[in-house]
Amino acid sequence: MAELEQALADVAAEMAERVDRGEVATYIPQLGKVDPKKFGIAAVTNDGRVILAGDADQPFSIQSVSKVFTLTLALGKIGDALWHRVGREPSGNPFNSIVQLEHENGIPRNPFINAGAIVVSDVLLAGHQPREAIGEILRFIQFLADDETIIIDREVAASERATGYRNFALANYMKSFGNLHHEPELALGVYFHHCAIAMSCRQLAMAGRFLADGGRNPATGHSVVSAERARRIGALMLTCGHYDGSGDFAFRVGIPGKSGVGGGILGIVPGVASLAVWSPGLNENGNSKLGSIALEKLARTMNWSIFAP
Ligand code: DON
């Protein structure tokens, strides 16, 4: 595995040199304050190695990467009944698009676009006050990462709420179709807070371990989800994890990945490792520009692909 250490170090050094780093998201004002020169990458292998390069220990806003963990929790709570309220198809549209909702009766295409993740938040709210649902999500992520220092950045959550007109539109629209069971305000409270969880690449790669090891935590052998569920979450990450850039990510990188507008990406190499990369500048689809390039290079160097024989 010296090869993997070298590969991470090489990719971090190469990314540090890049001039064209994409655009930092500014529609959530608090995210616009992040230094675009940051770059971190982490790999946690199923045999327990933690390999880091660049700013891998600096927390960033995980944003939509959190949707992998809320989906996992919601499936644990209501199982396949979730699929009556959210689809499993790529949308081919931007993450915050509203256009398909009218034709499709308020059923979002998948759990990773904003509309789908707001329904997932509504599911997690059942039987809870918003603050309890938010606490449950945070504790689940802390448990997965084996790290109780992970926190929610309240300023990011407040910044998003103050400017979240599109998400309010999505939630209100779905409510009109009966696909939100709580008030939009409450489901969005849960949604904004889980998007505002701050994690480092190390913490994120640790939290993704169960997806790389058939639903088990490879460090303890304890099951988090069934092997079948881990495979299915991986399938959704591959087909929907990068929104209208999902096909391109699958083509270039060849592993399941989930991006966030904070510039993070969680990547899963089944049977091998959980990866996290962070570079705040985004490409035209709202996915980390250098993060995608770094994962593409790393996968090529390591010959990682779910399509590799
Ligand atoms: O709702 C939003 O717009 C953000 N909280 C999350 C969007 C996001 O991360 C899209 N990812 N690339």
PDB file of all heavy atoms in Angstrom, residues 72 75-76 79-80 140 210-217 222-234:
ATOM      1  N   THR A  72     -29.551   6.544   4.262  1.00  0.00           N
ATOM      2  CA  THR A  72     -29.296   5.298   5.000  1.00  0.00           C
ATOM      3  C   THR A  72     -30.207   5.216   6.230  1.00  0.00           C
ATOM      4  O   THR A  72     -30.809   4.170   6.503  1.00  0.00           O
ATOM      5  CB  THR A  72     -27.808   5.243   5.426  1.00  0.00           C
ATOM      6  OG1 THR A  72     -26.991   5.374   4.256  1.00  0.00           O
ATOM      7  CG2 THR A  72     -27.473   3.939   6.136  1.00  0.00           C
ATOM      8  N   LEU A  75     -33.941   4.682   5.162  1.00  0.00           N
ATOM      9  CA  LEU A  75     -34.184   3.290   4.761  1.00  0.00           C
ATOM     10  C   LEU A  75     -34.257   2.400   5.996  1.00  0.00           C
ATOM     11  O   LEU A  75     -35.052   1.461   6.057  1.00  0.00           O
ATOM     12  CB  LEU A  75     -33.088   2.807   3.799  1.00  0.00           C
ATOM     13  CG  LEU A  75     -33.171   3.384   2.387  1.00  0.00           C
ATOM     14  CD1 LEU A  75     -31.919   3.030   1.589  1.00  0.00           C
ATOM     15  CD2 LEU A  75     -34.423   2.883   1.649  1.00  0.00           C
ATOM     16  N   GLY A  76     -33.441   2.717   6.990  1.00  0.00           N
ATOM     17  CA  GLY A  76     -33.494   1.961   8.243  1.00  0.00           C
ATOM     18  C   GLY A  76     -34.832   2.146   8.949  1.00  0.00           C
ATOM     19  O   GLY A  76     -35.334   1.255   9.622  1.00  0.00           O
ATOM     20  N   GLY A  79     -37.696   1.477   5.401  1.00  0.00           N
ATOM     21  CA  GLY A  79     -37.378   0.471   4.377  1.00  0.00           C
ATOM     22  C   GLY A  79     -37.866   0.874   2.994  1.00  0.00           C
ATOM     23  O   GLY A  79     -37.879   2.057   2.635  1.00  0.00           O
ATOM     24  N   ASP A  80     -38.313  -0.130   2.244  1.00  0.00           N
ATOM     25  CA  ASP A  80     -38.678   0.103   0.844  1.00  0.00           C
ATOM     26  C   ASP A  80     -39.903   0.998   0.671  1.00  0.00           C
ATOM     27  O   ASP A  80     -40.179   1.452  -0.447  1.00  0.00           O
ATOM     28  CB  ASP A  80     -38.922  -1.238   0.138  1.00  0.00           C
ATOM     29  CG  ASP A  80     -37.605  -1.953  -0.155  1.00  0.00           C
ATOM     30  OD1 ASP A  80     -36.546  -1.291  -0.115  1.00  0.00           O
ATOM     31  OD2 ASP A  80     -37.640  -3.168  -0.416  1.00  0.00           O
ATOM     32  N   PHE A 140     -25.609   9.638  14.282  1.00  0.00           N
ATOM     33  CA  PHE A 140     -25.369   8.526  13.352  1.00  0.00           C
ATOM     34  C   PHE A 140     -24.043   8.738  12.615  1.00  0.00           C
ATOM     35  O   PHE A 140     -23.228   7.819  12.487  1.00  0.00           O
ATOM     36  CB  PHE A 140     -26.537   8.416  12.368  1.00  0.00           C
ATOM     37  CG  PHE A 140     -26.418   7.297  11.374  1.00  0.00           C
ATOM     38  CD1 PHE A 140     -26.248   5.986  11.797  1.00  0.00           C
ATOM     39  CD2 PHE A 140     -26.495   7.545  10.006  1.00  0.00           C
ATOM     40  CE1 PHE A 140     -26.141   4.934  10.871  1.00  0.00           C
ATOM     41  CE2 PHE A 140     -26.395   6.513   9.080  1.00  0.00           C
ATOM     42  CZ  PHE A 140     -26.215   5.217   9.507  1.00  0.00           C
ATOM     43  N   PHE A 210     -18.598   1.794   5.919  1.00  0.00           N
ATOM     44  CA  PHE A 210     -19.577   0.688   5.822  1.00  0.00           C
ATOM     45  C   PHE A 210     -20.004   0.416   4.384  1.00  0.00           C
ATOM     46  O   PHE A 210     -20.368  -0.708   4.048  1.00  0.00           O
ATOM     47  CB  PHE A 210     -20.799   0.953   6.731  1.00  0.00           C
ATOM     48  CG  PHE A 210     -21.755   2.000   6.224  1.00  0.00           C
ATOM     49  CD1 PHE A 210     -22.976   1.635   5.660  1.00  0.00           C
ATOM     50  CD2 PHE A 210     -21.454   3.357   6.333  1.00  0.00           C
ATOM     51  CE1 PHE A 210     -23.877   2.598   5.203  1.00  0.00           C
ATOM     52  CE2 PHE A 210     -22.347   4.325   5.880  1.00  0.00           C
ATOM     53  CZ  PHE A 210     -23.551   3.943   5.311  1.00  0.00           C
ATOM     54  N   LEU A 211     -19.931   1.437   3.535  1.00  0.00           N
ATOM     55  CA  LEU A 211     -20.339   1.243   2.143  1.00  0.00           C
ATOM     56  C   LEU A 211     -19.261   0.517   1.342  1.00  0.00           C
ATOM     57  O   LEU A 211     -19.551  -0.103   0.320  1.00  0.00           O
ATOM     58  CB  LEU A 211     -20.666   2.594   1.496  1.00  0.00           C
ATOM     59  CG  LEU A 211     -21.909   3.277   2.074  1.00  0.00           C
ATOM     60  CD1 LEU A 211     -22.042   4.686   1.522  1.00  0.00           C
ATOM     61  CD2 LEU A 211     -23.164   2.453   1.769  1.00  0.00           C
ATOM     62  N   ALA A 212     -18.022   0.597   1.811  1.00  0.00           N
ATOM     63  CA  ALA A 212     -16.915  -0.073   1.111  1.00  0.00           C
ATOM     64  C   ALA A 212     -16.752  -1.516   1.570  1.00  0.00           C
ATOM     65  O   ALA A 212     -15.998  -2.280   0.976  1.00  0.00           O
ATOM     66  CB  ALA A 212     -15.610   0.700   1.338  1.00  0.00           C
ATOM     67  N   ASP A 213     -17.449  -1.898   2.627  1.00  0.00           N
ATOM     68  CA  ASP A 213     -17.248  -3.246   3.166  1.00  0.00           C
ATOM     69  C   ASP A 213     -18.577  -3.989   3.341  1.00  0.00           C
ATOM     70  O   ASP A 213     -18.837  -4.580   4.394  1.00  0.00           O
ATOM     71  CB  ASP A 213     -16.479  -3.176   4.494  1.00  0.00           C
ATOM     72  CG  ASP A 213     -15.850  -4.530   4.855  1.00  0.00           C
ATOM     73  OD1 ASP A 213     -15.648  -5.356   3.938  1.00  0.00           O
ATOM     74  OD2 ASP A 213     -15.575  -4.772   6.038  1.00  0.00           O
ATOM     75  N   GLY A 214     -19.398  -3.921   2.309  1.00  0.00           N
ATOM     76  CA  GLY A 214     -20.629  -4.717   2.304  1.00  0.00           C
ATOM     77  C   GLY A 214     -21.576  -4.409   3.448  1.00  0.00           C
ATOM     78  O   GLY A 214     -22.267  -5.298   3.953  1.00  0.00           O
ATOM     79  N   GLY A 215     -21.610  -3.139   3.889  1.00  0.00           N
ATOM     80  CA  GLY A 215     -22.550  -2.749   4.935  1.00  0.00           C
ATOM     81  C   GLY A 215     -21.998  -2.887   6.344  1.00  0.00           C
ATOM     82  O   GLY A 215     -22.656  -2.506   7.307  1.00  0.00           O
ATOM     83  N   ARG A 216     -20.765  -3.423   6.460  1.00  0.00           N
ATOM     84  CA  ARG A 216     -20.145  -3.594   7.790  1.00  0.00           C
ATOM     85  C   ARG A 216     -19.146  -2.482   8.073  1.00  0.00           C
ATOM     86  O   ARG A 216     -18.519  -1.961   7.147  1.00  0.00           O
ATOM     87  CB  ARG A 216     -19.312  -4.891   7.832  1.00  0.00           C
ATOM     88  CG  ARG A 216     -20.030  -6.164   8.110  1.00  0.00           C
ATOM     89  CD  ARG A 216     -19.001  -7.294   8.163  1.00  0.00           C
ATOM     90  NE  ARG A 216     -18.141  -7.278   6.977  1.00  0.00           N
ATOM     91  CZ  ARG A 216     -18.343  -8.018   5.907  1.00  0.00           C
ATOM     92  NH1 ARG A 216     -19.366  -8.836   5.859  1.00  0.00           N
ATOM     93  NH2 ARG A 216     -17.531  -7.945   4.861  1.00  0.00           N
ATOM     94  N   ASN A 217     -18.975  -2.195   9.342  1.00  0.00           N
ATOM     95  CA  ASN A 217     -17.834  -1.375   9.734  1.00  0.00           C
ATOM     96  C   ASN A 217     -16.617  -2.294   9.745  1.00  0.00           C
ATOM     97  O   ASN A 217     -16.559  -3.229  10.544  1.00  0.00           O
ATOM     98  CB  ASN A 217     -18.080  -0.795  11.128  1.00  0.00           C
ATOM     99  CG  ASN A 217     -16.890  -0.006  11.644  1.00  0.00           C
ATOM    100  OD1 ASN A 217     -15.756  -0.208  11.196  1.00  0.00           O
ATOM    101  ND2 ASN A 217     -17.143   0.886  12.582  1.00  0.00           N
ATOM    102  N   HIS A 222     -19.027  -5.040  12.770  1.00  0.00           N
ATOM    103  CA  HIS A 222     -20.457  -4.884  13.060  1.00  0.00           C
ATOM    104  C   HIS A 222     -21.207  -4.375  11.837  1.00  0.00           C
ATOM    105  O   HIS A 222     -20.724  -3.505  11.112  1.00  0.00           O
ATOM    106  CB  HIS A 222     -20.675  -3.922  14.236  1.00  0.00           C
ATOM    107  CG  HIS A 222     -20.199  -4.480  15.536  1.00  0.00           C
ATOM    108  ND1 HIS A 222     -19.800  -3.692  16.587  1.00  0.00           N
ATOM    109  CD2 HIS A 222     -20.050  -5.763  15.949  1.00  0.00           C
ATOM    110  CE1 HIS A 222     -19.416  -4.466  17.596  1.00  0.00           C
ATOM    111  NE2 HIS A 222     -19.563  -5.723  17.233  1.00  0.00           N
ATOM    112  N   SER A 223     -22.414  -4.911  11.667  1.00  0.00           N
ATOM    113  CA  SER A 223     -23.217  -4.537  10.509  1.00  0.00           C
ATOM    114  C   SER A 223     -23.915  -3.188  10.745  1.00  0.00           C
ATOM    115  O   SER A 223     -24.508  -2.963  11.800  1.00  0.00           O
ATOM    116  CB  SER A 223     -24.240  -5.655  10.279  1.00  0.00           C
ATOM    117  OG  SER A 223     -25.173  -5.242   9.333  1.00  0.00           O
ATOM    118  N   VAL A 224     -23.829  -2.307   9.772  1.00  0.00           N
ATOM    119  CA  VAL A 224     -24.567  -1.031   9.814  1.00  0.00           C
ATOM    120  C   VAL A 224     -25.853  -1.186   9.000  1.00  0.00           C
ATOM    121  O   VAL A 224     -26.933  -0.806   9.440  1.00  0.00           O
ATOM    122  CB  VAL A 224     -23.702   0.124   9.255  1.00  0.00           C
ATOM    123  CG1 VAL A 224     -24.490   1.430   9.240  1.00  0.00           C
ATOM    124  CG2 VAL A 224     -22.410   0.270  10.054  1.00  0.00           C
ATOM    125  N   VAL A 225     -25.698  -1.743   7.789  1.00  0.00           N
ATOM    126  CA  VAL A 225     -26.852  -2.072   6.938  1.00  0.00           C
ATOM    127  C   VAL A 225     -26.546  -3.432   6.302  1.00  0.00           C
ATOM    128  O   VAL A 225     -25.412  -3.910   6.350  1.00  0.00           O
ATOM    129  CB  VAL A 225     -27.080  -1.013   5.813  1.00  0.00           C
ATOM    130  CG1 VAL A 225     -27.418   0.351   6.399  1.00  0.00           C
ATOM    131  CG2 VAL A 225     -25.882  -0.916   4.873  1.00  0.00           C
ATOM    132  N   SER A 226     -27.559  -4.040   5.669  1.00  0.00           N
ATOM    133  CA  SER A 226     -27.319  -5.314   4.992  1.00  0.00           C
ATOM    134  C   SER A 226     -26.416  -5.082   3.781  1.00  0.00           C
ATOM    135  O   SER A 226     -26.310  -3.961   3.262  1.00  0.00           O
ATOM    136  CB  SER A 226     -28.641  -5.927   4.538  1.00  0.00           C
ATOM    137  OG  SER A 226     -29.187  -5.127   3.500  1.00  0.00           O
ATOM    138  N   ALA A 227     -25.785  -6.164   3.311  1.00  0.00           N
ATOM    139  CA  ALA A 227     -24.923  -6.064   2.126  1.00  0.00           C
ATOM    140  C   ALA A 227     -25.742  -5.587   0.922  1.00  0.00           C
ATOM    141  O   ALA A 227     -25.273  -4.776   0.115  1.00  0.00           O
ATOM    142  CB  ALA A 227     -24.278  -7.416   1.840  1.00  0.00           C
ATOM    143  N   GLU A 228     -26.976  -6.070   0.832  1.00  0.00           N
ATOM    144  CA  GLU A 228     -27.819  -5.666  -0.299  1.00  0.00           C
ATOM    145  C   GLU A 228     -28.089  -4.163  -0.264  1.00  0.00           C
ATOM    146  O   GLU A 228     -28.020  -3.463  -1.278  1.00  0.00           O
ATOM    147  CB  GLU A 228     -29.138  -6.433  -0.245  1.00  0.00           C
ATOM    148  CG  GLU A 228     -30.053  -6.079  -1.396  1.00  0.00           C
ATOM    149  CD  GLU A 228     -31.385  -6.797  -1.313  1.00  0.00           C
ATOM    150  OE1 GLU A 228     -32.134  -6.582  -0.324  1.00  0.00           O
ATOM    151  OE2 GLU A 228     -31.680  -7.577  -2.231  1.00  0.00           O
ATOM    152  N   ARG A 229     -28.369  -3.641   0.944  1.00  0.00           N
ATOM    153  CA  ARG A 229     -28.651  -2.206   1.057  1.00  0.00           C
ATOM    154  C   ARG A 229     -27.411  -1.382   0.723  1.00  0.00           C
ATOM    155  O   ARG A 229     -27.493  -0.347   0.058  1.00  0.00           O
ATOM    156  CB  ARG A 229     -29.168  -1.877   2.459  1.00  0.00           C
ATOM    157  CG  ARG A 229     -29.589  -0.436   2.598  1.00  0.00           C
ATOM    158  CD  ARG A 229     -30.550  -0.211   3.730  1.00  0.00           C
ATOM    159  NE  ARG A 229     -31.864  -0.761   3.443  1.00  0.00           N
ATOM    160  CZ  ARG A 229     -32.815  -0.936   4.363  1.00  0.00           C
ATOM    161  NH1 ARG A 229     -32.596  -0.588   5.618  1.00  0.00           N
ATOM    162  NH2 ARG A 229     -33.984  -1.431   4.016  1.00  0.00           N
ATOM    163  N   ALA A 230     -26.246  -1.846   1.155  1.00  0.00           N
ATOM    164  CA  ALA A 230     -25.006  -1.110   0.836  1.00  0.00           C
ATOM    165  C   ALA A 230     -24.808  -1.060  -0.677  1.00  0.00           C
ATOM    166  O   ALA A 230     -24.434  -0.021  -1.234  1.00  0.00           O
ATOM    167  CB  ALA A 230     -23.816  -1.778   1.520  1.00  0.00           C
ATOM    168  N   ARG A 231     -25.083  -2.185  -1.350  1.00  0.00           N
ATOM    169  CA  ARG A 231     -24.936  -2.206  -2.814  1.00  0.00           C
ATOM    170  C   ARG A 231     -25.907  -1.224  -3.460  1.00  0.00           C
ATOM    171  O   ARG A 231     -25.578  -0.532  -4.425  1.00  0.00           O
ATOM    172  CB  ARG A 231     -25.234  -3.609  -3.357  1.00  0.00           C
ATOM    173  CG  ARG A 231     -24.104  -4.591  -3.148  1.00  0.00           C
ATOM    174  CD  ARG A 231     -24.268  -5.794  -4.067  1.00  0.00           C
ATOM    175  NE  ARG A 231     -25.398  -6.636  -3.706  1.00  0.00           N
ATOM    176  CZ  ARG A 231     -25.318  -7.682  -2.882  1.00  0.00           C
ATOM    177  NH1 ARG A 231     -24.160  -8.010  -2.340  1.00  0.00           N
ATOM    178  NH2 ARG A 231     -26.388  -8.397  -2.617  1.00  0.00           N
ATOM    179  N   ARG A 232     -27.124  -1.190  -2.933  1.00  0.00           N
ATOM    180  CA  ARG A 232     -28.135  -0.316  -3.545  1.00  0.00           C
ATOM    181  C   ARG A 232     -27.831   1.158  -3.318  1.00  0.00           C
ATOM    182  O   ARG A 232     -28.058   1.987  -4.202  1.00  0.00           O
ATOM    183  CB  ARG A 232     -29.509  -0.678  -2.988  1.00  0.00           C
ATOM    184  CG  ARG A 232     -29.966  -2.005  -3.548  1.00  0.00           C
ATOM    185  CD  ARG A 232     -31.276  -2.426  -2.990  1.00  0.00           C
ATOM    186  NE  ARG A 232     -31.900  -3.407  -3.879  1.00  0.00           N
ATOM    187  CZ  ARG A 232     -33.068  -3.971  -3.653  1.00  0.00           C
ATOM    188  NH1 ARG A 232     -33.745  -3.654  -2.567  1.00  0.00           N
ATOM    189  NH2 ARG A 232     -33.562  -4.840  -4.504  1.00  0.00           N
ATOM    190  N   ILE A 233     -27.321   1.493  -2.138  1.00  0.00           N
ATOM    191  CA  ILE A 233     -26.922   2.891  -1.895  1.00  0.00           C
ATOM    192  C   ILE A 233     -25.788   3.251  -2.857  1.00  0.00           C
ATOM    193  O   ILE A 233     -25.766   4.334  -3.456  1.00  0.00           O
ATOM    194  CB  ILE A 233     -26.537   3.093  -0.412  1.00  0.00           C
ATOM    195  CG1 ILE A 233     -27.778   2.911   0.469  1.00  0.00           C
ATOM    196  CG2 ILE A 233     -25.911   4.481  -0.190  1.00  0.00           C
ATOM    197  CD1 ILE A 233     -27.493   2.824   1.970  1.00  0.00           C
ATOM    198  N   GLY A 234     -24.866   2.312  -3.057  1.00  0.00           N
ATOM    199  CA  GLY A 234     -23.776   2.531  -4.020  1.00  0.00           C
ATOM    200  C   GLY A 234     -24.314   2.756  -5.427  1.00  0.00           C
ATOM    201  O   GLY A 234     -23.834   3.624  -6.163  1.00  0.00           O
TER     202      GLY A 234
END
